[in-house]
Structure formats: C-alpha cells, structure tokens
Amino acid sequence: MEFVDQNPIGKSSRSNPATYLKAYDEIRKLMAAQQASKINGYKASHFSFNIDGGRCEECLGEGTVKVEMQFMADIVLTCESCHGKRFKNDILDVKYKGNNIHDILEMTIEQAIEFFASDATNTEKRIVNKLQPLADVGLGYIKMGQSSSTLSGGESQRVKLASFLAKEKNEPTLFIFDEPTTGLHFNDIKKLLKAFDALIKKGHSLVIVEHNMEIIKSADWVIDLGPEGGDKGGYLVFEGKPEDLVNVDASYTARFLKPYLQ
C-alpha cells in the first residue's frame, strides 16, 4: 500500500523533480560524455550539486546562501560566487547542444522533453521517458531544477504519482490519495484522471479522498460519509456507483454531483 500525501518529495533543498524521477542521473551521464568533459576528465559526479567536485563550494550547490539573523527571519541571498548557477565556471563551460547544466536545469519539464526528444540516442530517450510522466500529471510548467521546498503540497503529490507511473515493473499496489486536485486547473484535473487510469491499467487500485465532482463522477465506487460535519457526521450515507448516488436525498454530495451526470 502506498499513501501518496502532500509532504515534500525530499528532505534536502537540493532535491528536485528531475532528481526524484532519476532523470538527472541520465543528464549527468550525458554531460560527462561531451568532448569538453572527456578532455578535462570530468565524470558524471562533477555535474552533481550534492557532492564535491563540480559544484560551487561557496553555496555547496544550493545557488543561494542563507544569512542567519538573531532576532529576525533568516535572509536568503543569491550566491556571489556562482551567481545562482550552482556550479563552478569550468563545469558550466561544458555544453550539450549549446546549453550548459545550469541552462538545462532552468528549463521547464515541457521544454526539456522537447529539447532532448530532438535526438534519438538511447540516453536522450531514457531522459524523455523519465520526464514524460511529470508532463502527464500536469507538471510540465515546473522547472527541472526547481527545489522541492518550493513545490506546493499538490505539486509534490503529483511528482510522487509521476514516479510511480515511470516505473516499468512493480507489483499491484493499493494507492491512497488525499485530495489530489487541490489548487488544480480544470485542464490539469483531466490530465490527473488520465494518470489515474494509467495506474489502473497497470493493475493498481486507487482510493481517493476527494470533494471534486469530476473525480467523484469518474469513480467506479463511491463511499459518501456524512450527512453533516463534526458529531453529526461520520455515518455511511451511501455506497455504490456515482449514478446511483444522485438519487439519495440525504446526501449533500448528490445535489452537487447531479449536474455532472446529466
């Protein structure tokens, strides 16, 4: 069983969507394979901001420096050494199709997919395959290197969903989602539903705690609890198919769901 909540995807501020889905591992290998890297003896590890080698030693790959204030909130400043680019200048001189590692991390997921899809080598294909699930769950707008600490709860939840979609083989699993549509645009909800369908086609089962009518309408089975809140709620009002729920007068959900099924 997997509980897909809205907690951050990583404990470190250096974690990001690309690292979480292992796409960054392939990108580092690609950068290490460039002629400039071979001449200078750079390995994939030189393009990591988690270990010494190629990262900026002033900010330790963060791109920012935190100034602790005794009686005020800490101040976060752009690193004066790397100017927010996170790597040493020598590493930034290595380019793939005119872009260095900082340029790639500044791309959105959709831009990166288009960028890497233009070549048909196995490495580029693996990168695209690992990034595509992020676009499929409506996260094509976030940046490759965007810190996990800046993602909203709903975005973090969808990054986790994308990681499960990216797995080629896994055992049938029961997934529990806690209000995954929070803050989503209508078009993104459609993408989310497609992602749910993809999980189901892989043999998984989903339990979704949700108030969004589009999600409820699409469910195979609905459990409606109520009828009120607090000590007047928590009772089983209905259990069954969405089209049968609309006939239950005691259900508030039924009143709002009915227009979606007409």
Side-chain angles (χ1 to χ4, degrees), residues 116-181:
F116 289 110
S118 60
D119 284 333
T121 67
N122 289 333
T123 301
E124 282 85 354
K125 286 180 180 178
R126 286 195 296 270
I127 294 171
V128 172
N129 290 338
K130 289 179 181 296
L131 293 176
Q132 188 60 51
L134 287 169
D136 292 342
V137 299
L139 291 176
Y141 61 88
I142 63 176
K143 289 185 177 182
M144 292 272 287
Q146 187 169 335
S147 172
S148 61
S149 62
T150 66
L151 297 175
S152 70
E155 288 170 336
S156 295
Q157 192 175 42
R158 280 181 285 152
V159 171
K160 296 173 187 177
L161 170 58
S163 72
F164 288 113
L165 290 173
K167 293 180 180 178
E168 295 182 1
K169 294 181 180 179
N170 46 32
E171 295 295 323
T173 303
L174 173 63
F175 289 92
I176 300 177
F177 290 88
D178 183 15
E179 301 199 24
T181 65

Side-chain angles (χ1 to χ4, degrees), residues 27-64:
I27 293 171
R28 291 192 295 112
K29 293 176 185 176
L30 183 65
M31 298 305 291
Q34 301 310 302
Q35 188 64 25
S37 291
K38 294 178 180 179
I39 293 173
N40 290 283
Y42 298 150
K43 306 297 182 183
S45 59
H46 284 85
F47 297 90
S48 170
F49 32 67
N50 288 320
I51 57 178
D52 295 337
R55 70 179 183 179
C56 172
E57 295 305 325
E58 181 71 24
C59 63
L60 301 180
E62 293 275 4
T64 57

Side-chain angles (χ1 to χ4, degrees), residues 43-243:
K43 306 297 182 183
S45 59
H46 284 85
F47 297 90
S48 170
F49 32 67
N50 288 320
I51 57 178
D52 295 337
R55 70 179 183 179
C56 172
E57 295 305 325
E58 181 71 24
C59 63
L60 301 180
E62 293 275 4
T64 57
V65 176
K66 183 183 291 186
V67 180
E68 295 184 359
M69 307 296 288
Q70 188 170 1
F71 301 109
M72 300 171 62
D74 293 343
I75 299 175
V76 179
L77 302 173
T78 300
C79 176
E80 293 184 358
S81 179
C82 68
H83 305 290
K85 294 187 176 181
R86 310 174 76 171
F87 292 93
K88 296 176 181 176
N89 288 332
D90 291 344
I91 298 299
L92 294 173
D93 286 339
V94 179
K95 295 184 178 181
Y96 168 74
K97 292 199 298 187
N99 291 268
N100 60 33
I101 191 65
H102 170 72
D103 297 329
I104 293 173
L105 289 171
E106 283 295 296
M107 293 179 183
T108 65
I109 298 300
E110 289 180 346
Q111 289 171 339
I113 290 173
E114 183 178 354
F115 177 70
F116 289 110
S118 60
D119 284 333
T121 67
N122 289 333
T123 301
E124 282 85 354
K125 286 180 180 178
R126 286 195 296 270
I127 294 171
V128 172
N129 290 338
K130 289 179 181 296
L131 293 176
Q132 188 60 51
L134 287 169
D136 292 342
V137 299
L139 291 176
Y141 61 88
I142 63 176
K143 289 185 177 182
M144 292 272 287
Q146 187 169 335
S147 172
S148 61
S149 62
T150 66
L151 297 175
S152 70
E155 288 170 336
S156 295
Q157 192 175 42
R158 280 181 285 152
V159 171
K160 296 173 187 177
L161 170 58
S163 72
F164 288 113
L165 290 173
K167 293 180 180 178
E168 295 182 1
K169 294 181 180 179
N170 46 32
E171 295 295 323
T173 303
L174 173 63
F175 289 92
I176 300 177
F177 290 88
D178 183 15
E179 301 199 24
T181 65
T182 300
L184 285 189
H185 185 272
F186 177 75
N187 290 332
D188 289 330
I189 292 175
K190 285 186 175 181
K191 292 181 180 179
L192 185 63
L193 283 168
K194 288 182 180 179
F196 287 156
D197 288 338
L199 281 178
I200 293 170
K201 287 179 180 178
K202 288 187 175 184
H204 304 303
S205 299
L206 279 65
V207 174
I208 304 173
V209 181
E210 187 57 81
H211 295 89
N212 184 277
M213 294 301 143
E214 286 293 334
I215 299 293
I216 296 173
K217 179 187 75 172
S218 304
D220 294 317
W221 199 259
V222 177
I223 298 174
D224 188 24
L225 300 178
E228 304 288 345
D231 58 1
K232 296 181 180 179
Y235 299 98
L236 180 63
V237 177
F238 172 82
E239 180 181 1
K241 297 179 180 179
E243 52 267 31

